[in-house]
Amino acid sequence: TLITMSIEQHSKQEMQKQIDKIVSTCESHFAFEEGILEIRHYPKISEHIEIHKKLLSKAIKLKKAYERGTVRPTAFFSFLVDDVMLGHLLEEDVKFFPYLEEKGKKRKR
C-alpha cells in the first residue's frame, strides 16, 4: 500500500497514516509472536524480544524522521524488506520454527 501511495503521490498526511499503520502492525505482530514463543518455551526468547525492540525503535525513528521531512517513504520500504523480512524473518524467526511443530509430528520438507 505504501509503495502504491508513493507512486500515486498521496498527501503527507495520508502517507503518515499508512506509516503509523505499519508501525502499529509491527508492534502487534511482535507481541503476538512473543506470546507464542513464551507458550512454546523458546529458550532464546529474551534475545528475540531484544531484536524486536531494536526493530521497533528503528521504525519509530524512521516515522519521526518522516514527520520532520528528513526521510522519504522509501526509507520504510528498505526497512521492511532489508531489516524485517530479510534480516529478521529469514535470519532470526527461522530459528524458532522447530519449536512450533507439534510434538511427535515432523513437517515434510
Side-chain angles (χ1 to χ4, degrees):
T1 301
L2 191 62
I3 293 170
T4 302
M5 290 175 72
S6 295
I7 292 167
E8 294 173 352
Q9 298 182 338
H10 284 243
S11 72
K12 183 172 181 172
Q13 293 78 16
E14 291 173 311
M15 296 293 286
Q16 189 127 4
K17 286 180 187 177
Q18 187 60 34
I19 289 168
D20 289 343
K21 186 176 179 181
I22 290 168
V23 173
S24 176
T25 299
C26 284
E27 289 173 329
S28 298
H29 173 80
F30 291 161
F32 180 77
E33 184 177 290
E34 291 165 11
I36 291 171
L37 296 180
E38 188 173 335
I39 290 168
R40 292 300 191 150
H41 305 290
Y42 181 56
K44 295 187 177 187
I45 189 170
S46 296
E47 293 94 339
H48 205 83
I49 289 170
E50 281 304 311
I51 293 167
H52 285 171
K53 286 179 183 178
K54 288 177 183 176
L55 286 169
L56 285 174
S57 176
K58 184 170 183 177
I60 290 166
K61 285 178 186 174
L62 284 170
K63 176 184 162 189
K64 289 179 180 178
Y66 179 75
E67 290 168 357
R68 289 190 307 272
T70 57
V71 299
R72 299 175 65 186
T74 52
F76 278 89
F77 308 157
S78 175
F79 168 73
L80 290 171
V81 173
D82 293 337
D83 297 17
V84 177
M85 294 170 73
L86 297 176
H88 183 65
L89 182 89
L90 295 179
E91 290 180 21
E92 295 300 326
D93 283 357
V94 295
K95 294 176 183 176
F96 67 72
F97 289 177
Y99 292 85
L100 301 179
E101 294 178 358
E102 290 184 45
K103 290 183 181 182
K105 289 186 179 181
K106 290 191 177 183
R107 263 192 263 162
K108 293 180 182 179
R109 294 179 190 232

